[in-house]
Amino acid sequence: MSKYDALTEHLEKLEANRWDATFEEIEGILGFQLPLSAREHAAWWANQTTGQRVQCSSWMDVGWSTAGLDIAAETVSFLKSKEVTASNTEQLAVEPEAMTLAELVEYSKQRIAALAGVPISNVAITIAY
């Protein structure tokens, strides 16, 4: 049993493949405030299968991954992953074939922002035809 079980249960009930959440919404679900490290360090939200990060297990164990973290805006996106395996240590694969071009661009922007530790508004993707 984990203190993040309420988040796990919430994600399990979602029918959508994506949930854009504010930290406040997550805290409402959990019934307590997120730790300060969640507001200061992108690593808190990383999709890790190793170590003692119980919060990661709360979403990864039920097939979700985080993306699009914006610490300044206190928002994070959760994406349903088609496959969760032990070999996915830092990121879980979201099947590009299941996304529209706009969704793929948005997902890519979110992942780049999360990995670079910058707001998503600082990331631009240009597609030249």
Side-chain angles (χ1 to χ4, degrees), residues 99-120:
M99 296 181 169
T100 66
L101 180 59
E103 290 172 332
L104 182 59
V105 168
E106 181 64 20
Y107 173 77
S108 299
K109 286 173 58 176
Q110 291 173 351
R111 291 303 305 148
I112 290 167
L115 292 170
V118 300
I120 193 169

Side-chain angles (χ1 to χ4, degrees), residues 31-113:
F32 60 86
Q33 287 191 337
L34 291 168
L36 186 58
S37 57
R39 288 185 155 76
E40 294 181 349
H41 305 287
W44 193 91
W45 298 96
N47 299 307
Q48 297 179 328
T49 58
T50 59
Q52 299 296 324
R53 300 202 161 193
V54 294
Q55 75 275 14
C56 299
S57 295
S58 71
W59 58 77
M60 293 182 68
D61 287 354
V62 290
W64 289 80
S65 61
T66 56
L69 174 65
D70 187 336
I71 289 180
E74 295 194 345
T75 60
V76 64
S77 296
F78 291 87
L79 302 175
K80 191 179 288 186
S81 302
K82 293 202 177 213
E83 187 174 300
V84 181
T85 66
S87 64
N88 295 329
T89 56
E90 289 298 318
Q91 303 172 23
L92 291 178
V94 175
E95 297 296 326
E97 298 82 19
M99 296 181 169
T100 66
L101 180 59
E103 290 172 332
L104 182 59
V105 168
E106 181 64 20
Y107 173 77
S108 299
K109 286 173 58 176
Q110 291 173 351
R111 291 303 305 148
I112 290 167

